[in-house]
Amino acid sequence: MAIKNWPKDEQPREKLLARGPAALSDAELLALFLGTGCKGLDVMENARLLLKDHGPLRRLLDLSAPKLKKLPGLGPARACELVAALELADRHLRAQLDRGESMREPQSAIRYFKQRLRGRPHEVFAALFLDTRNRTLAFEELFTGTIDAATIYPREVVRRALLHNAAAVIVSHNHPSGSAEPSAADRQITRHLQEALNLVGVRLLDHVVVGEGTPVSMAERGWLEPALTFRG
């Protein structure tokens, strides 16, 4: 059934306006972007087919513009529009962490790390260095490893924190295998990092593990002391 024949409150555009974008499924969001179907498929059927053959959504959206343009219902124009929209979203997220604006809640950093690290083929350990008001001083990818491990040196994290004159640090690494659940080794290195940073008066606010789905915040799990706090 064509979308125009759906009940009004179930049509993607009307649902988004009434309930916000979070109320839409991946297929509905993709259909809303595509606008029209192709080759005998209505737009929802086309969206579902794209997700079935090239999904899940993250894997589909990670494709480059030259690959996207070859997919049914896209073509060069829509492929470029989609990549441009994703880049705008990425820049908007980065702008929220620019120096001059204090992070008001920990989810800002979690979203940022998720955007930067998810989908990387190897483990990457990164850090956000913050001033006394939790404004971003710098973002750095400090260590890169293999598909399932990265060697982390607390001394180097301390050195970079002092170089940036940071008052606090939030660190993160990704699990290319998919599961964001922290390992025993992840928790151990977090303790070592916190001890090393405490010696120079720098707070470790959180260690975020990025995988498929929702990232895991060790601060939210209660595995860091003192607990994660944000100052306005």
Side-chain angles (χ1 to χ4, degrees):
M1 182 189 297
I3 288 179
K4 65 181 180 180
N5 296 324
W6 290 13
K8 198 72 172 175
D9 61 351
E10 289 300 317
Q11 294 178 19
R13 184 180 294 112
E14 283 66 27
K15 188 190 291 189
L16 186 150
L17 290 171
R19 296 186 245 167
L24 275 65
S25 68
D26 291 349
E28 288 172 326
L29 286 169
L30 186 57
L32 196 55
F33 174 81
L34 293 172
T36 59
C38 69
K39 295 181 181 178
L41 299 175
D42 68 34
V43 67
M44 276 301 301
E45 291 171 333
N46 188 33
R48 291 183 182 125
L49 183 64
L50 286 171
L51 290 170
K52 178 178 178 290
D53 292 344
H54 305 282
L57 184 64
R58 181 184 64 79
R59 188 170 293 120
L60 173 65
L61 298 184
D62 280 344
L63 295 175
S64 64
K67 291 182 179 179
L68 284 169
K69 75 176 184 179
K70 298 177 183 177
L71 300 184
L74 284 167
R78 282 200 181 118
C80 289
E81 289 171 359
L82 181 55
V83 171
L86 293 170
E87 180 62 20
L88 282 172
D90 187 43
R91 293 186 187 187
H92 174 257
L93 184 58
R94 282 185 301 211
Q96 293 177 358
L97 300 183
D98 282 347
R99 182 179 172 89
E101 288 191 18
S102 176
M103 280 188 289
R104 293 179 174 84
E105 44 92 24
Q107 287 300 319
S108 296
I110 292 172
R111 287 193 299 269
Y112 183 76
F113 283 123
K114 180 179 179 180
Q115 182 75 15
R116 295 296 295 265
L117 301 183
R118 194 177 65 176
R120 302 287 285 272
H122 304 290
E123 277 206 10
V124 176
F125 182 91
L128 275 170
F129 299 98
L130 311 174
D131 66 12
T132 56
R133 297 185 61 190
N134 292 327
R135 297 176 299 189
T136 303
L137 297 167
F139 168 83
E140 291 189 9
E141 295 183 5
L142 297 174
F143 310 110
T144 302
T146 63
I147 193 170
D148 60 359
T151 302
I152 298 165
Y153 300 97
R155 180 175 62 181
E156 179 64 12
V157 179
V158 170
R159 188 180 75 83
R160 300 305 296 175
L162 293 175
L163 179 68
H164 292 297
N165 196 27
V169 179
I170 303 174
V171 299
S172 178
H173 77 282
N174 64 313
H175 283 176
S177 61
S179 173
E181 188 63 29
S183 66
D186 293 337
R187 295 184 63 177
Q188 183 179 45
I189 193 63
T190 303
R191 288 193 295 270
H192 293 333
L193 281 168
Q194 187 167 39
E195 291 167 1
L197 289 164
N198 280 343
L199 290 174
V200 294
V202 178
R203 295 173 297 146
L204 179 63
L205 296 183
D206 203 354
H207 186 170
V208 178
V209 183
V210 176
E212 296 289 348
T214 304
V216 173
S217 160
M218 294 197 191
E220 290 183 348
R221 291 276 183 95
W223 294 344
L224 281 171
E225 293 293 341
L228 176 59
T229 57
F230 280 71
R231 301 170 183 169

